[in-house]
Amino acid sequence: MKSQPRLRSLTLLICCAAALSWWGCATLGITSSSDDSAPVTVPVPPEEQADAECAEKIEDARYKLCDDPPPTLPFDHLDRAKNAWRTMKDRCPEQMRTGMALRKLEKCIDQIESTPSLKDDAVEQRRTSGQRKARALKGSPEYGQAARRLKKALASIEDAAWSHERAVQAGDEKEERFQAAIWDEAEDQYLKARRSIEQMMEHAGLELDDGRAYGMW
């Protein structure tokens, strides 16, 4: 995953709370000078179009699933969320906006799983049975190294995403490109660290769907 040579103002997925984990609120557009509350459509270079469009689709799915769900959740609400995540992960490019949006959707899945009416006894039993293996894995030097790499990448992503947004708003193209390169590289490092952890889980006989429940990432 390499940084694109030219980055202009376009649809972004940026956190709105600097001191908090950046899975909360998000902006989906650059605002016009005449109306600070109205997002405007900005032309996107072809090399970024897929990433921007995928990020918007993922955010739209997340919003409908977690921010504006039906009053009574359908029995397959959790399956819909998981299927949306898998589908978009397979179809979308591994780039910075998509990566951020997919992690937000994962947090949405966590939220849905915590709904009492949607609790799956089989999943709970599986996770309980796998806790011993998960603890052993998390105590290994290999996992510790990958986990530190992942944490460092997420911190870099958060910093670069904020700096990139500020550069876009200020019209500083040089800084925009610079921060985009940092963000893109950090996403690449995150993916490598996460894949390493996923391989460890598979080797230990643990389900990848249980990764967040075990605190693997």
Side-chain angles (χ1 to χ4, degrees), residues 42-55:
V42 181
V44 180
E47 63 269 19
E48 293 184 22
Q49 191 70 36
D51 185 32
E53 289 180 353
C54 273

Side-chain angles (χ1 to χ4, degrees), residues 25-204:
C25 50
T27 59
L28 292 177
I30 303 301
T31 57
S32 66
S33 58
S34 60
D35 183 356
D36 288 340
S37 66
V40 298
T41 301
V42 181
V44 180
E47 63 269 19
E48 293 184 22
Q49 191 70 36
D51 185 32
E53 289 180 353
C54 273
E56 286 190 70
K57 289 177 182 177
I58 296 167
E59 173 62 13
D60 182 60
R62 187 206 62 79
Y63 178 82
K64 292 175 180 177
L65 288 161
C66 278
D67 288 358
D68 189 29
T72 301
L73 297 182
F75 73 94
D76 61 344
H77 196 69
L78 178 58
D79 288 337
R80 291 181 184 180
K82 290 183 176 181
N83 288 337
W85 184 87
R86 294 190 186 101
T87 298
M88 299 308 290
K89 183 176 184 296
D90 290 341
R91 292 181 180 177
C92 290
E94 292 181 340
Q95 294 183 0
M96 57 192 195
R97 295 170 185 83
T98 296
M100 179 180 282
L102 283 171
R103 288 190 293 276
K104 288 183 64 182
L105 183 54
E106 281 190 297
K107 294 288 286 186
C108 169
I109 292 172
D110 289 348
Q111 178 182 329
I112 296 171
E113 280 191 322
S114 67
T115 305
S117 62
L118 298 180
K119 288 226 178 253
D120 189 323
D121 292 339
V123 171
E124 292 296 318
Q125 183 177 0
R126 183 185 73 212
R127 290 177 177 175
T128 299
S129 299
Q131 284 180 355
R132 185 174 179 180
K133 290 182 179 179
R135 285 194 298 268
L137 175 57
K138 293 177 73 173
S140 69
E142 294 80 9
Y143 171 81
Q145 183 179 14
R148 288 190 294 273
R149 185 180 180 186
L150 187 146
K151 183 178 180 179
K152 181 179 179 180
L154 285 173
S156 295
I157 290 168
E158 182 176 358
D159 290 342
W162 269 111
S163 297
H164 181 267
E165 168 71 349
R166 287 195 296 268
V168 169
Q169 297 287 0
D172 188 340
E173 296 182 21
K174 183 177 179 180
E175 181 66 11
E176 183 184 340
R177 291 193 298 270
F178 178 70
Q179 294 298 334
I182 295 175
W183 183 0
D184 202 44
E185 175 61 23
E187 287 285 352
D188 191 45
Q189 292 301 315
Y190 171 86
L191 284 173
K192 289 177 180 177
R194 175 150 171 174
R195 284 169 181 159
S196 178
I197 294 173
E198 288 175 345
Q199 289 173 356
M200 295 178 202
M201 288 184 64
E202 289 175 335
H203 183 73

